[in-house]
Amino acid sequence: MLKARELVHPVGKGDPERAKSITIDKIVEIHQFMVAEMQKVLTEFLSLDQETRSGFTSKACETTAELLVSIAVEQHLSVHCEDVEQAVIRYEQMLQGNAEFARCTEQLANMMQHLTSAAQPRVEKASFLKALRHIAESTQKAKVFAKKLYEEYRAKTCNVVDAYRRFEEFADSATQSAEGLEEDLTPVEMQLCFDEYRDDPQVREAWTQAGAESSFLMSSMMTGRSPSSGSAAPEDKKVKKTKPSEIVEMQDYMVDELKRICEAASTSMAGNSSATPWRQDIAMQMVQALASASVERRFGVGAEEMTMAGFQHAAALQKSERFVRATEKQQEILMQVAQLCSPAPAGE
């Protein structure tokens, strides 16, 4: 990567004729390959010491990574990345509904963010501890709120519209309470800070209290990214013993609950088109929170425990077609929620 940094990647517009020969399936295959290559670049960069990484600007990281991945695509798949971009534009609408393409693009974006963040200096330990303690407090409040909201929604004393409005108010309140923090850290930056300060007992305790490890693992599993070698070992956590088959059953149940809540939201929006549009991030969080609360009520396993158990049984679960299908279906449903919140084109 250090040598590639010195290269310049020429920008081309692509050949429309060559792009026509690239099918949707081929586009997905290329992006899957790009994810694998990007993971190699990220792993190599993270193996460098902090002083060396600090010598890279964010732009240099992006340019170098794009160059290395582009070269690999052209050498191994015999296609030009500029032609792939043309093909993506050609099939843009159809690709919006392709869960695997969406997963790959999200993985690439997350890994690029991880790469550029790794080049930046870490925040001071005191600021990191303050952020972790705030997260711990906020997480506990969120759990209590979500459980209460779900019970009311289940008892039909609160419909999906009321649930959204209350969730929105809670989220806005949580955002305001975080405004006093000195640092606004992304999940990737949180993990990098932990890797830097993990030897401090206070940091490890605050990290555990904040549930940061399970959140990072959940993000990793959803995007296919491997946790860094510095992560706290999942085996050290006290997790309810759960079999892979039970996790698969929970995933299937989660799909059913997500689908049910999504359908309720869709019906409510269709019946009141004049209402203020829902915010995508809030709607997706609400749907996930209600579905997770339903899973916990039925199986006695919370979202954090399920994530940790899923990580421990990752090898077996990756071979389970039911688990993979359920995970992909969850992503599809969440994409539907996001699309429901998107404003309709003019004239419709």
Side-chain angles (χ1 to χ4, degrees):
M1 184 167 178
L2 288 169
K3 293 180 180 178
R5 178 186 182 185
E6 301 172 1
L7 300 178
V8 177
H9 183 39
V11 179
K13 296 183 179 179
D15 186 322
E17 289 303 315
R18 288 200 303 259
K20 288 180 181 179
S21 66
I22 303 176
T23 64
I24 290 180
D25 287 343
K26 187 65 176 179
I27 291 173
V28 173
E29 178 191 343
I30 292 169
H31 278 73
Q32 289 172 331
F33 179 82
M34 290 169 68
V35 167
E37 290 301 308
M38 186 63 184
Q39 181 63 62
K40 293 178 185 177
V41 174
L42 178 58
T43 299
E44 179 186 345
F45 190 65
L46 292 176
S47 70
L48 301 175
D49 58 76
Q50 182 61 45
E51 184 178 353
T52 302
R53 295 203 304 257
S54 298
F56 286 77
T57 63
S58 295
K59 185 62 178 177
C61 286
E62 290 180 13
T63 302
T64 304
E66 288 171 0
L67 169 64
L68 292 171
V69 172
S70 296
I71 290 174
V73 168
E74 294 185 12
Q75 287 183 341
H76 293 274
L77 301 180
S78 301
V79 293
H80 296 288
C81 285
E82 294 86 352
D83 297 340
V84 177
E85 291 174 8
Q86 287 277 339
V88 169
I89 294 172
R90 178 185 177 86
Y91 294 111
E92 183 177 6
Q93 298 231 340
M94 297 177 69
L95 287 170
Q96 286 179 355
N98 188 301
E100 179 60 15
F101 177 77
R103 187 182 69 84
C104 287
T105 53
E106 183 180 2
Q107 282 181 264
L108 289 168
N110 286 334
M111 284 191 283
M112 184 64 81
Q113 183 192 35
H114 198 160
L115 185 74
T116 56
S117 295
Q120 304 303 313
R122 305 280 74 83
V123 302
E124 295 294 328
K125 187 191 296 185
S127 296
F128 181 49
L129 273 170
K130 184 177 180 181
L132 284 176
R133 287 162 180 161
H134 173 78
I135 291 172
E137 182 182 349
S138 299
T139 300
Q140 184 57 37
K141 289 180 179 178
K143 286 179 181 178
V144 173
F145 170 78
K147 184 175 182 179
K148 183 175 185 295
L149 184 65
Y150 168 72
E151 292 300 337
E152 293 182 19
Y153 179 74
R154 179 174 173 272
K156 300 189 186 312
T157 58
C158 166
N159 62 33
V160 72
V161 175
D162 293 333
Y164 171 79
R165 297 304 171 200
R166 287 170 59 184
F167 205 95
E168 184 179 41
E169 290 172 3
F170 179 84
D172 288 342
S173 175
T175 299
Q176 290 176 2
S177 69
E179 289 178 354
L181 291 177
E182 298 174 16
E183 304 289 345
D184 183 15
L185 303 174
T186 67
V188 168
E189 289 170 332
M190 294 286 292
Q191 179 65 38
L192 290 169
C193 284
F194 178 72
D195 293 344
E196 181 81 12
Y197 304 125
R198 59 182 286 113
D199 292 335
D200 188 311
Q202 284 187 311
V203 170
R204 292 187 67 84
E205 181 182 0
W207 179 262
T208 301
Q209 292 292 327
E213 184 66 18
S214 59
S215 297
F216 181 75
L217 290 176
M218 183 179 294
S219 174
S220 298
M221 291 200 302
M222 294 293 277
T223 62
R225 187 177 66 249
S226 300
S228 69
S229 58
S231 300
E235 291 80 3
D236 294 339
K237 310 287 183 180
K238 292 183 179 180
V239 182
K240 179 180 178 181
K241 289 186 178 181
T242 308
K243 299 177 182 178
S245 58
E246 293 172 328
I247 297 174
V248 173
E249 185 180 354
M250 285 184 240
Q251 282 286 85
D252 280 338
Y253 184 80
M254 184 78 167
V255 168
D256 292 338
E257 289 301 290
L258 286 171
K259 188 185 301 182
R260 185 173 61 81
I261 299 167
C262 180
E263 288 173 353
S266 178
T267 300
S268 296
M269 289 182 192
N272 191 7
S273 57
S274 61
T276 303
W278 288 13
R279 288 153 52 185
Q280 288 185 0
D281 57 336
I282 301 297
M284 292 171 71
Q285 289 173 31
M286 179 201 72
V287 171
Q288 285 180 299
L290 292 177
S292 294
S294 180
V295 171
E296 183 171 6
R297 186 179 188 282
R298 174 159 180 171
F299 296 95
V301 177
E304 289 182 14
E305 289 180 305
M306 188 174 173
T307 300
M308 301 303 293
F311 182 80
Q312 291 178 351
H313 296 296
L317 293 172
Q318 287 171 0
K319 298 176 183 177
S320 169
E321 291 186 9
R322 273 183 66 195
F323 179 82
V324 173
R325 266 200 316 270
T327 302
E328 291 176 348
K329 189 62 180 177
Q330 287 179 30
Q331 289 298 298
E332 289 177 10
I333 295 171
L334 291 175
M335 286 173 61
Q336 291 173 15
V337 173
Q339 290 170 359
L340 284 173
C341 302
S342 301
E348 291 190 6

